[in-house]
Amino acid sequence: MAETEKLRIDKYLWAIRVFKTRSLATDACKAGRVKLKGQNIKPSAVVKVGDIYQISKGIERKVIEVIDFSYNRTDAKIAVTKYKDLTPVEETHAFKSVFQAPTLKRDRGAGRPTKKDRRETDDLLDSFWQEED
């Protein structure tokens, strides 16, 4: 594509694989979940190198800086080279912990847990939430 051609934010977010479809990226922009310098932007906003965008996608929050343009959707290895992830560490751990927390399931008909079972469950959960050194 020509260098003078402008790249829309919805197309860019789709191309770098932040959103699965371009229409999802467009809807996110219209709903105010994509921001530039704290301001909501339209899906037709032009992307510039060095811009920093805040993106909310469900409970996930991302902060990305544009490094290079990507006009077409490519594989994930190439897509991650087109932007720099500036998401704070606290945000990434919060997202990770929600989905990787251990889920405890008891067998059907096992009855109520005993005090010993409860203590073991609490110890397991406490060890997961503590910081690793």
Side-chain angles (χ1 to χ4, degrees):
M1 293 203 169
E3 290 295 323
T4 59
E5 191 166 336
K6 297 176 181 171
L7 179 62
R8 294 168 49 114
I9 185 65
D10 60 344
K11 187 171 182 181
Y12 179 75
L13 293 175
W14 165 76
I16 63 169
R17 296 181 169 266
V18 173
F19 292 99
K20 190 172 183 176
T21 64
R22 187 166 169 191
S23 61
L24 287 175
T26 303
D27 293 342
C29 292
K30 288 179 182 176
R33 292 190 298 264
V34 179
K35 299 179 185 289
L36 174 65
K37 299 178 185 171
Q39 300 292 319
N40 294 344
I41 58 173
K42 293 181 179 181
S44 61
V46 178
V47 177
K48 297 180 184 117
V49 174
D51 283 350
I52 298 175
Y53 295 98
Q54 297 87 24
I55 303 162
S56 299
K57 186 176 153 187
I59 62 169
E60 183 181 10
R61 308 261 187 273
K62 285 189 129 189
V63 179
I64 62 167
E65 179 181 357
V66 178
I67 293 178
D68 193 13
F69 296 139
S70 182
Y71 292 97
N72 297 318
R73 193 169 172 97
T74 58
D75 62 337
K77 290 181 182 178
I78 295 173
V80 296
T81 63
K82 305 293 182 181
Y83 67 93
K84 185 176 179 183
D85 193 0
L86 303 175
T87 308
V89 177
E90 303 84 36
E91 290 287 327
T92 56
H93 285 295
F95 178 69
K96 180 181 174 186
S97 65
V98 170
F99 291 103
Q100 295 186 354
T103 56
L104 304 172
K105 228 177 178 183
R106 293 183 51 82
D107 293 331
R108 186 177 174 104
R112 286 181 57 167
T114 62
K115 275 190 174 181
K116 182 180 178 185
D117 293 338
R118 180 62 187 200
R119 288 186 193 116
E120 289 173 354
T121 301
D122 289 342
D123 289 342
L124 177 67
L125 289 174
D126 288 342
S127 66
F128 176 79
W129 294 109
Q130 291 176 354
E131 292 290 324
E132 296 177 10
D133 293 330

Short mmCIF file of all heavy atoms in Angstrom, two decimals, residues 17-72:
data_model
loop_
_atom_site.label_atom_id
_atom_site.label_comp_id
_atom_site.label_asym_id
_atom_site.label_seq_id
_atom_site.Cartn_x
_atom_site.Cartn_y
_atom_site.Cartn_z
N ARG A 17 -4.09 -8.08 16.01
CA ARG A 17 -4.74 -9.16 16.74
C ARG A 17 -5.17 -8.80 18.16
O ARG A 17 -5.22 -9.65 19.04
CB ARG A 17 -3.85 -10.40 16.77
CG ARG A 17 -3.63 -10.95 15.40
CD ARG A 17 -2.76 -12.19 15.41
NE ARG A 17 -2.80 -12.82 14.11
CZ ARG A 17 -3.64 -13.80 13.79
NH1 ARG A 17 -4.49 -14.24 14.65
NH2 ARG A 17 -3.61 -14.32 12.58
N VAL A 18 -5.52 -7.54 18.39
CA VAL A 18 -6.12 -7.18 19.68
C VAL A 18 -7.57 -7.63 19.69
O VAL A 18 -8.07 -8.11 20.70
CB VAL A 18 -6.00 -5.67 19.94
CG1 VAL A 18 -6.75 -5.26 21.19
CG2 VAL A 18 -4.53 -5.27 20.06
N PHE A 19 -8.24 -7.50 18.54
CA PHE A 19 -9.61 -7.95 18.39
C PHE A 19 -9.69 -9.01 17.30
O PHE A 19 -8.93 -8.97 16.33
CB PHE A 19 -10.53 -6.77 18.04
CG PHE A 19 -10.69 -5.79 19.16
CD1 PHE A 19 -9.96 -4.63 19.19
CD2 PHE A 19 -11.58 -6.05 20.21
CE1 PHE A 19 -10.10 -3.72 20.23
CE2 PHE A 19 -11.72 -5.16 21.25
CZ PHE A 19 -10.99 -4.00 21.26
N LYS A 20 -10.62 -9.93 17.45
CA LYS A 20 -10.75 -11.04 16.52
C LYS A 20 -11.29 -10.61 15.16
O LYS A 20 -10.89 -11.14 14.13
CB LYS A 20 -11.67 -12.10 17.13
CG LYS A 20 -11.69 -13.40 16.39
CD LYS A 20 -12.46 -14.45 17.16
CE LYS A 20 -12.41 -15.77 16.43
NZ LYS A 20 -13.07 -16.83 17.19
N THR A 21 -12.21 -9.65 15.16
CA THR A 21 -12.76 -9.15 13.90
C THR A 21 -12.67 -7.63 13.87
O THR A 21 -12.58 -6.98 14.91
CB THR A 21 -14.23 -9.55 13.72
OG1 THR A 21 -15.02 -8.94 14.74
CG2 THR A 21 -14.41 -11.05 13.76
N ARG A 22 -12.73 -7.10 12.68
CA ARG A 22 -12.67 -5.64 12.54
C ARG A 22 -13.94 -4.99 13.10
O ARG A 22 -13.89 -3.90 13.65
CB ARG A 22 -12.47 -5.27 11.08
CG ARG A 22 -12.23 -3.80 10.91
CD ARG A 22 -11.70 -3.49 9.55
NE ARG A 22 -11.74 -2.05 9.33
CZ ARG A 22 -11.55 -1.49 8.16
NH1 ARG A 22 -11.30 -2.23 7.10
NH2 ARG A 22 -11.61 -0.19 8.04
N SER A 23 -15.07 -5.67 12.97
CA SER A 23 -16.31 -5.11 13.50
C SER A 23 -16.28 -5.04 15.03
O SER A 23 -16.84 -4.12 15.61
CB SER A 23 -17.52 -5.90 13.01
OG SER A 23 -17.45 -7.23 13.45
N LEU A 24 -15.62 -6.00 15.68
CA LEU A 24 -15.46 -5.92 17.14
C LEU A 24 -14.59 -4.72 17.52
O LEU A 24 -14.86 -4.03 18.51
CB LEU A 24 -14.85 -7.21 17.69
CG LEU A 24 -15.75 -8.43 17.73
CD1 LEU A 24 -14.96 -9.65 18.18
CD2 LEU A 24 -16.93 -8.19 18.65
N ALA A 25 -13.55 -4.46 16.74
CA ALA A 25 -12.69 -3.30 16.99
C ALA A 25 -13.48 -2.00 16.78
O ALA A 25 -13.35 -1.06 17.57
CB ALA A 25 -11.48 -3.33 16.07
N THR A 26 -14.31 -1.96 15.75
CA THR A 26 -15.14 -0.79 15.49
C THR A 26 -16.13 -0.56 16.63
O THR A 26 -16.29 0.57 17.10
CB THR A 26 -15.91 -0.97 14.16
OG1 THR A 26 -14.96 -1.19 13.12
CG2 THR A 26 -16.74 0.25 13.84
N ASP A 27 -16.77 -1.63 17.08
CA ASP A 27 -17.73 -1.52 18.18
C ASP A 27 -17.06 -1.05 19.47
O ASP A 27 -17.63 -0.27 20.22
CB ASP A 27 -18.44 -2.85 18.42
CG ASP A 27 -19.34 -3.25 17.26
OD1 ASP A 27 -19.69 -2.36 16.45
OD2 ASP A 27 -19.69 -4.44 17.18
N ALA A 28 -15.84 -1.52 19.71
CA ALA A 28 -15.11 -1.10 20.91
C ALA A 28 -14.79 0.39 20.86
O ALA A 28 -14.90 1.10 21.87
CB ALA A 28 -13.82 -1.91 21.06
N CYS A 29 -14.43 0.88 19.70
CA CYS A 29 -14.16 2.32 19.55
C CYS A 29 -15.43 3.13 19.77
O CYS A 29 -15.41 4.15 20.46
CB CYS A 29 -13.58 2.62 18.17
SG CYS A 29 -11.92 1.97 17.90
N LYS A 30 -16.53 2.68 19.19
CA LYS A 30 -17.79 3.40 19.33
C LYS A 30 -18.28 3.39 20.78
O LYS A 30 -18.92 4.35 21.22
CB LYS A 30 -18.86 2.78 18.44
CG LYS A 30 -18.67 3.05 16.97
CD LYS A 30 -19.74 2.37 16.15
CE LYS A 30 -19.54 2.60 14.66
NZ LYS A 30 -20.54 1.86 13.87
N ALA A 31 -17.98 2.33 21.52
CA ALA A 31 -18.43 2.21 22.91
C ALA A 31 -17.51 2.93 23.88
O ALA A 31 -17.78 2.96 25.08
CB ALA A 31 -18.53 0.74 23.29
N GLY A 32 -16.42 3.51 23.39
CA GLY A 32 -15.52 4.26 24.26
C GLY A 32 -14.51 3.39 25.00
O GLY A 32 -13.94 3.81 26.01
N ARG A 33 -14.24 2.19 24.49
CA ARG A 33 -13.29 1.31 25.15
C ARG A 33 -11.89 1.43 24.58
O ARG A 33 -10.97 0.76 25.04
CB ARG A 33 -13.79 -0.14 25.06
CG ARG A 33 -15.05 -0.35 25.89
CD ARG A 33 -15.42 -1.81 26.00
NE ARG A 33 -15.72 -2.42 24.72
CZ ARG A 33 -16.95 -2.57 24.23
NH1 ARG A 33 -17.98 -2.12 24.90
NH2 ARG A 33 -17.13 -3.16 23.07
N VAL A 34 -11.70 2.30 23.60
CA VAL A 34 -10.38 2.59 23.04
C VAL A 34 -10.15 4.09 23.22
O VAL A 34 -10.96 4.90 22.78
CB VAL A 34 -10.29 2.19 21.55
CG1 VAL A 34 -8.92 2.53 20.99
CG2 VAL A 34 -10.60 0.72 21.36
N LYS A 35 -9.06 4.43 23.90
CA LYS A 35 -8.80 5.83 24.22
C LYS A 35 -7.40 6.24 23.79
O LYS A 35 -6.47 5.44 23.82
CB LYS A 35 -8.96 6.07 25.72
CG LYS A 35 -10.35 5.77 26.24
CD LYS A 35 -10.41 6.00 27.75
CE LYS A 35 -11.72 5.61 28.32
NZ LYS A 35 -12.83 6.47 27.99
N LEU A 36 -7.27 7.49 23.41
CA LEU A 36 -5.99 8.09 23.09
C LEU A 36 -5.84 9.31 23.98
O LEU A 36 -6.66 10.23 23.92
CB LEU A 36 -5.93 8.49 21.61
CG LEU A 36 -4.70 9.27 21.16
CD1 LEU A 36 -3.45 8.41 21.28
CD2 LEU A 36 -4.86 9.75 19.73
N LYS A 37 -4.85 9.30 24.84
CA LYS A 37 -4.62 10.38 25.81
C LYS A 37 -5.86 10.63 26.67
O LYS A 37 -6.23 11.76 26.95
CB LYS A 37 -4.20 11.66 25.11
CG LYS A 37 -2.92 11.53 24.32
CD LYS A 37 -2.57 12.80 23.60
CE LYS A 37 -1.35 12.59 22.73
NZ LYS A 37 -1.08 13.72 21.86
N GLY A 38 -6.54 9.55 27.05
CA GLY A 38 -7.70 9.66 27.92
C GLY A 38 -8.99 10.06 27.22
O GLY A 38 -10.03 10.14 27.85
N GLN A 39 -8.94 10.31 25.93
CA GLN A 39 -10.12 10.72 25.17
C GLN A 39 -10.62 9.57 24.31
O GLN A 39 -9.82 8.86 23.68
CB GLN A 39 -9.78 11.91 24.25
CG GLN A 39 -9.29 13.14 25.00
CD GLN A 39 -10.38 13.76 25.84
OE1 GLN A 39 -11.52 13.85 25.43
NE2 GLN A 39 -10.03 14.17 27.05
N ASN A 40 -11.95 9.41 24.26
CA ASN A 40 -12.53 8.41 23.38
C ASN A 40 -12.22 8.78 21.94
O ASN A 40 -12.19 9.96 21.59
CB ASN A 40 -14.04 8.33 23.57
CG ASN A 40 -14.41 7.82 24.94
OD1 ASN A 40 -13.60 7.25 25.64
ND2 ASN A 40 -15.66 8.03 25.31
N ILE A 41 -11.99 7.78 21.11
CA ILE A 41 -11.72 8.05 19.71
C ILE A 41 -12.70 7.28 18.83
O ILE A 41 -13.25 6.27 19.23
CB ILE A 41 -10.27 7.69 19.32
CG1 ILE A 41 -9.97 6.22 19.62
CG2 ILE A 41 -9.28 8.58 20.03
CD1 ILE A 41 -8.63 5.77 19.10
N LYS A 42 -12.89 7.78 17.63
CA LYS A 42 -13.78 7.16 16.66
C LYS A 42 -13.01 6.05 15.92
O LYS A 42 -11.78 6.09 15.86
CB LYS A 42 -14.27 8.19 15.65
CG LYS A 42 -15.16 9.24 16.26
CD LYS A 42 -15.62 10.20 15.18
CE LYS A 42 -16.55 11.25 15.76
NZ LYS A 42 -17.02 12.17 14.71
N PRO A 43 -13.73 5.10 15.35
CA PRO A 43 -13.05 4.03 14.60
C PRO A 43 -12.27 4.54 13.40
O PRO A 43 -11.33 3.88 12.95
CB PRO A 43 -14.20 3.13 14.13
CG PRO A 43 -15.39 3.52 14.91
CD PRO A 43 -15.16 4.89 15.43
N SER A 44 -12.61 5.71 12.90
CA SER A 44 -11.94 6.24 11.72
C SER A 44 -10.70 7.09 12.07
O SER A 44 -10.08 7.64 11.18
CB SER A 44 -12.91 7.10 10.91
OG SER A 44 -13.36 8.19 11.70
N ALA A 45 -10.34 7.15 13.34
CA ALA A 45 -9.18 7.94 13.75
C ALA A 45 -7.92 7.38 13.09
O ALA A 45 -7.76 6.16 12.94
CB ALA A 45 -9.02 7.92 15.26
N VAL A 46 -7.03 8.27 12.69
CA VAL A 46 -5.81 7.88 11.99
C VAL A 46 -4.73 7.51 13.01
O VAL A 46 -4.50 8.22 13.98
CB VAL A 46 -5.32 9.03 11.09
CG1 VAL A 46 -4.03 8.65 10.39
CG2 VAL A 46 -6.39 9.39 10.06
N VAL A 47 -4.08 6.40 12.75
CA VAL A 47 -3.01 5.90 13.62
C VAL A 47 -1.70 6.57 13.25
O VAL A 47 -1.38 6.71 12.06
CB VAL A 47 -2.87 4.37 13.48
CG1 VAL A 47 -1.73 3.84 14.31
CG2 VAL A 47 -4.17 3.69 13.85
N LYS A 48 -0.93 6.96 14.26
CA LYS A 48 0.39 7.55 14.04
C LYS A 48 1.40 6.79 14.89
O LYS A 48 1.09 6.33 15.98
CB LYS A 48 0.39 9.02 14.45
CG LYS A 48 -0.54 9.87 13.62
CD LYS A 48 -0.49 11.32 14.07
CE LYS A 48 -1.50 12.12 13.30
NZ LYS A 48 -2.52 12.69 14.13
N VAL A 49 2.61 6.67 14.39
CA VAL A 49 3.66 6.01 15.15
C VAL A 49 3.94 6.82 16.41
O VAL A 49 4.06 8.03 16.37
CB VAL A 49 4.95 5.87 14.30
CG1 VAL A 49 6.08 5.31 15.13
CG2 VAL A 49 4.69 4.98 13.10
N GLY A 50 4.00 6.15 17.54
CA GLY A 50 4.25 6.80 18.81
C GLY A 50 3.00 7.05 19.63
O GLY A 50 3.09 7.38 20.81
N ASP A 51 1.82 6.89 19.03
CA ASP A 51 0.57 7.05 19.78
C ASP A 51 0.45 5.96 20.83
O ASP A 51 0.84 4.80 20.60
CB ASP A 51 -0.64 6.97 18.85
CG ASP A 51 -0.86 8.25 18.06
OD1 ASP A 51 -0.19 9.25 18.36
OD2 ASP A 51 -1.69 8.23 17.13
N ILE A 52 -0.12 6.32 21.99
CA ILE A 52 -0.33 5.36 23.07
C ILE A 52 -1.83 5.24 23.29
O ILE A 52 -2.50 6.22 23.58
CB ILE A 52 0.39 5.81 24.35
CG1 ILE A 52 1.89 5.86 24.10
CG2 ILE A 52 0.06 4.86 25.50
CD1 ILE A 52 2.70 6.40 25.26
N TYR A 53 -2.34 4.02 23.13
CA TYR A 53 -3.76 3.75 23.25
C TYR A 53 -4.04 2.91 24.49
O TYR A 53 -3.29 2.00 24.81
CB TYR A 53 -4.28 2.99 22.02
CG TYR A 53 -4.19 3.80 20.75
CD1 TYR A 53 -3.14 3.63 19.86
CD2 TYR A 53 -5.16 4.73 20.44
CE1 TYR A 53 -3.05 4.37 18.70
CE2 TYR A 53 -5.09 5.48 19.28
CZ TYR A 53 -4.04 5.30 18.42
OH TYR A 53 -3.96 6.04 17.28
N GLN A 54 -5.16 3.24 25.18
CA GLN A 54 -5.65 2.43 26.29
C GLN A 54 -6.85 1.65 25.77
O GLN A 54 -7.81 2.25 25.29
CB GLN A 54 -6.09 3.30 27.48
CG GLN A 54 -4.98 4.11 28.12
CD GLN A 54 -4.76 5.45 27.44
OE1 GLN A 54 -5.65 5.98 26.80
NE2 GLN A 54 -3.56 5.98 27.56
N ILE A 55 -6.80 0.34 25.89
CA ILE A 55 -7.84 -0.53 25.34
C ILE A 55 -8.44 -1.36 26.46
O ILE A 55 -7.71 -2.00 27.22
CB ILE A 55 -7.26 -1.45 24.26
CG1 ILE A 55 -6.60 -0.60 23.17
CG2 ILE A 55 -8.34 -2.34 23.68
CD1 ILE A 55 -5.65 -1.35 22.30
N SER A 56 -9.76 -1.35 26.55
CA SER A 56 -10.48 -2.20 27.51
C SER A 56 -11.22 -3.26 26.71
O SER A 56 -12.00 -2.96 25.82
CB SER A 56 -11.48 -1.37 28.30
OG SER A 56 -10.82 -0.38 29.03
N LYS A 57 -10.98 -4.50 27.08
CA LYS A 57 -11.61 -5.62 26.38
C LYS A 57 -12.09 -6.60 27.44
O LYS A 57 -11.33 -7.40 27.95
CB LYS A 57 -10.58 -6.27 25.46
CG LYS A 57 -11.09 -7.33 24.56
CD LYS A 57 -9.97 -7.78 23.65
CE LYS A 57 -10.20 -9.19 23.21
NZ LYS A 57 -9.05 -9.70 22.48
N GLY A 58 -13.36 -6.47 27.81
CA GLY A 58 -13.88 -7.26 28.91
C GLY A 58 -13.26 -6.78 30.21
O GLY A 58 -13.27 -5.59 30.51
N ILE A 59 -12.64 -7.69 30.96
CA ILE A 59 -11.95 -7.28 32.19
C ILE A 59 -10.48 -6.99 31.92
O ILE A 59 -9.78 -6.50 32.80
CB ILE A 59 -12.08 -8.34 33.29
CG1 ILE A 59 -11.44 -9.65 32.86
CG2 ILE A 59 -13.52 -8.53 33.69
CD1 ILE A 59 -11.30 -10.64 33.99
N GLU A 60 -10.03 -7.28 30.72
CA GLU A 60 -8.64 -7.04 30.36
C GLU A 60 -8.42 -5.58 30.00
O GLU A 60 -9.20 -4.97 29.28
CB GLU A 60 -8.27 -7.93 29.17
CG GLU A 60 -6.84 -7.83 28.76
CD GLU A 60 -6.52 -8.70 27.56
OE1 GLU A 60 -7.45 -9.25 26.95
OE2 GLU A 60 -5.33 -8.81 27.23
N ARG A 61 -7.35 -5.00 30.50
CA ARG A 61 -6.96 -3.63 30.17
C ARG A 61 -5.56 -3.67 29.56
O ARG A 61 -4.66 -4.29 30.11
CB ARG A 61 -6.92 -2.75 31.42
CG ARG A 61 -8.18 -2.81 32.25
CD ARG A 61 -9.06 -1.60 31.95
NE ARG A 61 -10.20 -1.53 32.84
CZ ARG A 61 -11.35 -2.15 32.63
NH1 ARG A 61 -11.50 -2.89 31.59
NH2 ARG A 61 -12.36 -2.02 33.47
N LYS A 62 -5.39 -3.01 28.43
CA LYS A 62 -4.10 -2.98 27.76
C LYS A 62 -3.72 -1.55 27.44
O LYS A 62 -4.57 -0.72 27.14
CB LYS A 62 -4.14 -3.77 26.45
CG LYS A 62 -4.14 -5.25 26.62
CD LYS A 62 -3.97 -5.90 25.27
CE LYS A 62 -2.85 -6.87 25.43
NZ LYS A 62 -2.35 -7.49 24.29
N VAL A 63 -2.43 -1.28 27.49
CA VAL A 63 -1.88 -0.01 27.06
C VAL A 63 -0.81 -0.36 26.02
O VAL A 63 0.14 -1.08 26.32
CB VAL A 63 -1.24 0.77 28.24
CG1 VAL A 63 -0.65 2.07 27.75
CG2 VAL A 63 -2.26 1.01 29.34
N ILE A 64 -1.01 0.13 24.80
CA ILE A 64 -0.06 -0.19 23.73
C ILE A 64 0.44 1.08 23.07
O ILE A 64 -0.25 2.09 23.01
CB ILE A 64 -0.68 -1.13 22.68
CG1 ILE A 64 -1.86 -0.48 21.98
CG2 ILE A 64 -1.08 -2.46 23.27
CD1 ILE A 64 -2.31 -1.21 20.73
N GLU A 65 1.67 1.00 22.58
CA GLU A 65 2.27 2.10 21.82
C GLU A 65 2.51 1.60 20.40
O GLU A 65 3.05 0.50 20.20
CB GLU A 65 3.59 2.52 22.45
CG GLU A 65 4.28 3.64 21.70
CD GLU A 65 5.61 4.05 22.31
OE1 GLU A 65 5.99 3.50 23.36
OE2 GLU A 65 6.26 4.93 21.73
N VAL A 66 2.15 2.40 19.43
CA VAL A 66 2.31 2.03 18.02
C VAL A 66 3.78 2.16 17.64
O VAL A 66 4.38 3.23 17.80
CB VAL A 66 1.43 2.92 17.12
CG1 VAL A 66 1.63 2.55 15.65
CG2 VAL A 66 -0.02 2.82 17.51
N ILE A 67 4.35 1.08 17.14
CA ILE A 67 5.74 1.10 16.69
C ILE A 67 5.81 1.13 15.16
O ILE A 67 6.61 1.83 14.57
CB ILE A 67 6.51 -0.12 17.22
CG1 ILE A 67 6.64 -0.02 18.73
CG2 ILE A 67 7.87 -0.24 16.58
CD1 ILE A 67 7.33 -1.19 19.37
N ASP A 68 4.94 0.33 14.54
CA ASP A 68 4.94 0.23 13.08
C ASP A 68 3.52 -0.03 12.62
O ASP A 68 2.69 -0.50 13.39
CB ASP A 68 5.87 -0.91 12.64
CG ASP A 68 6.18 -0.88 11.16
OD1 ASP A 68 5.90 0.14 10.51
OD2 ASP A 68 6.72 -1.88 10.65
N PHE A 69 3.24 0.26 11.36
CA PHE A 69 1.91 0.03 10.82
C PHE A 69 1.77 -1.40 10.34
O PHE A 69 2.73 -2.02 9.90
CB PHE A 69 1.62 0.98 9.65
CG PHE A 69 1.58 2.42 10.04
CD1 PHE A 69 2.16 3.38 9.24
CD2 PHE A 69 0.97 2.83 11.21
CE1 PHE A 69 2.11 4.72 9.59
CE2 PHE A 69 0.92 4.16 11.57
CZ PHE A 69 1.50 5.10 10.76
N SER A 70 0.53 -1.88 10.41
CA SER A 70 0.20 -3.19 9.86
C SER A 70 -1.15 -3.03 9.17
O SER A 70 -2.17 -2.86 9.83
CB SER A 70 0.13 -4.24 10.98
OG SER A 70 -0.15 -5.49 10.44
N TYR A 71 -1.14 -3.09 7.85
CA TYR A 71 -2.36 -2.87 7.08
C TYR A 71 -3.18 -4.14 6.95
O TYR A 71 -4.39 -4.10 6.79
CB TYR A 71 -2.02 -2.34 5.68
CG TYR A 71 -1.45 -0.95 5.72
CD1 TYR A 71 -0.08 -0.75 5.69
CD2 TYR A 71 -2.28 0.16 5.81
CE1 TYR A 71 0.45 0.53 5.73
CE2 TYR A 71 -1.76 1.44 5.85
CZ TYR A 71 -0.39 1.62 5.81
OH TYR A 71 0.14 2.88 5.86
N ASN A 72 -2.53 -5.29 7.02
CA ASN A 72 -3.21 -6.57 6.87
C ASN A 72 -2.96 -7.43 8.10
O ASN A 72 -1.92 -7.33 8.74
CB ASN A 72 -2.72 -7.31 5.62
CG ASN A 72 -3.03 -6.55 4.37
OD1 ASN A 72 -4.11 -6.00 4.23
ND2 ASN A 72 -2.07 -6.50 3.45
#
